[in-house]
Amino acid sequence: MSQRTYEDACGAALAMDVVGERWALLVVRELLFGPKRFRDLRAGLPRASQNVLSQRLKELEADGVVRRVELGPPVSTQAYELTEQGQQLEPALIALARWGAHLPAEPGTDRSIDAFMLLLKALYFPPASGEPTMAVRLLVGTDSFDVQVDGASVRIARGAHAQTDAIVRGDVRTLWRLIFTDMTVASAIDAGVLEVTRDQVAAQRFFTLFGLPPS
């Protein structure tokens, strides 16, 4: 826990004693979908200095929110992952992402791939008619996520785990535009900013399942 405390017995205040320091909740966001090495956390949080990120990880580890693990083979390396207690913060992060989706971002700011995946969880709204069932693999750089939509739920996992209807490769900005602008899968492919393997129609339908909630 940080040395600073609200000295308030309210559950919300006690939670903020643990995750209320700058970058703490965003560290949790970056680990929601699987473990990461320190350098990968820095890549997802480029504005956090190395010293501050190290301090947040140390505090979150002491409070039982994250733990260190060994990844491998073929090459063993140390990484961080959420504990069960840390995973319990997911609903709060989804609610914050949904609430903040209406707020304007500072010009020129980007979001990490994990931030985009959290946004998918926050802004999934199944259509009134029918229950969509599909799986799409999203590839961004060297990272991959399997997104499975089943009726009223959406499940996201880092890595390739499931049979998918479509495989979509693009950067975060393009994926975001497929949801929030009039860009279509076909137009993105024509522009050379998107690649789709297998079912292009399923890929287009997938992006229509997400959007801003009513304000």
Side-chain angles (χ1 to χ4, degrees):
M1 182 181 294
S2 167
Q3 292 181 347
R4 291 188 288 183
T5 175
Y6 289 105
E7 296 184 353
D8 188 320
C10 166
L14 293 172
M16 293 300 289
D17 281 346
V18 175
V19 295
E21 289 289 337
R22 185 169 171 81
W23 302 109
L25 270 179
L26 297 189
V27 169
V28 175
R29 181 198 72 190
E30 291 296 306
L31 295 175
L32 276 178
F33 304 108
K36 280 189 173 185
R37 296 168 296 183
F38 183 83
R39 69 181 187 186
D40 297 323
L41 283 168
R42 285 214 69 197
L45 301 168
R47 296 180 183 273
S49 72
Q50 180 171 325
N51 288 342
V52 169
L53 184 55
S54 295
Q55 183 64 27
R56 290 295 91 81
L57 286 165
K58 181 180 179 181
E59 292 164 357
L60 290 170
E61 187 176 7
D63 286 319
V65 177
V66 306
R67 61 182 165 225
R68 302 185 202 201
V69 293
E70 289 290 328
L71 296 183
V75 179
S76 293
T77 183
Q78 189 179 86
Y80 295 89
E81 71 176 7
L82 293 180
T83 63
E84 182 178 350
Q85 183 180 0
Q87 287 286 350
Q88 291 171 4
L89 289 165
E90 181 178 328
L93 277 166
I94 290 173
L96 283 170
R98 185 176 294 131
W99 185 83
H102 288 285
L103 303 177
E106 288 293 323
T109 56
D110 290 318
R111 58 183 53 79
S112 71
I113 179 59
D114 289 80
F116 179 78
M117 292 300 152
L118 177 64
L119 197 65
L120 291 185
K121 280 209 162 189
L123 303 185
Y124 170 62
F125 295 98
S129 59
E131 293 191 349
T133 300
M134 67 174 66
V136 172
R137 182 165 300 146
L138 300 180
L139 306 178
V140 178
T142 59
D143 223 337
S144 68
F145 293 81
D146 280 357
V147 185
Q148 295 180 281
V149 175
D150 185 8
S153 68
V154 57
R155 297 184 300 277
I156 301 175
R158 177 175 274 110
H161 303 285
Q163 292 293 322
T164 57
D165 300 293
I167 300 174
V168 178
R169 178 179 290 279
D171 59 23
V172 172
R173 186 167 297 183
T174 298
L175 299 179
W176 185 90
R177 291 178 66 194
L178 287 168
I179 295 174
F180 295 104
T181 74
D182 59 0
M183 175 181 275
T184 64
V185 166
S187 65
I189 292 173
D190 289 342
V193 295
L194 196 75
E195 297 177 11
V196 176
T197 307
R198 299 179 188 163
D199 192 339
Q200 183 174 322
V201 173
Q204 177 61 48
R205 182 168 178 247
F206 170 81
F207 288 104
T208 65
L209 298 175
F210 307 89
L212 287 174
S215 55

